[in-house]
Amino acid sequence: ADRIYERELKRVSRKFTHMRYHSFLMYFGVLKRLGWVEVTSETEPSAIQDNYPPAPERTYYRLTKKGIEAGNELWSNPLFTLYPEIGPSHMKKSD
């Protein structure tokens, strides 16, 4: 069973198993709009600054109290949490 699972997993397109940068930006933007994360005062130089000094520094974030208290159900789909009106239209209809 493990061998079959591994074989089938390798057949899945990479775009379905790896997050892209734009997807991360969109996801993290939702977390910020929900107020679940906040910027800290901690920053450090980023690698891109080695070749392009004007690039922005790396900024650190932390979970807010609201984000910690949100619970697994809300965290399971932050986009539906932010826009609850779109959630039901995307849910599988039960028979």
Side-chain angles (χ1 to χ4, degrees):
D2 289 337
R3 206 170 54 233
I4 293 169
Y5 173 76
E6 290 299 324
R7 183 188 71 214
E8 293 301 314
L9 194 59
K10 287 178 184 176
R11 296 173 71 182
V12 175
S13 173
R14 191 172 188 274
K15 72 179 181 178
F16 295 119
T17 60
H18 293 79
M19 182 176 268
R20 296 200 165 96
Y21 183 69
H22 181 263
S23 299
F24 174 78
L25 289 179
M26 298 299 291
Y27 180 80
F28 203 74
V30 168
L31 299 182
K32 290 193 316 190
R33 286 193 298 272
L34 285 167
W36 291 358
V37 294
E38 64 186 1
V39 69
T40 67
S41 59
E42 186 179 354
T43 61
E44 68 180 22
S46 60
I48 194 171
Q49 289 177 310
D50 294 341
N51 299 315
Y52 184 68
E57 288 192 312
R58 181 175 293 118
T59 303
Y60 286 86
Y61 288 80
R62 67 175 157 242
L63 286 175
T64 62
K65 184 176 181 181
K66 188 176 177 182
I68 293 168
E69 294 172 350
N72 289 340
E73 187 174 335
L74 297 178
W75 271 98
S76 70
N77 198 323
L79 187 62
F80 290 172
T81 301
L82 185 60
Y83 302 109
E85 66 278 4
I86 67 168
S89 67
H90 291 280
M91 300 305 236
K92 184 178 179 181
K93 305 274 189 269
S94 61
D95 295 330

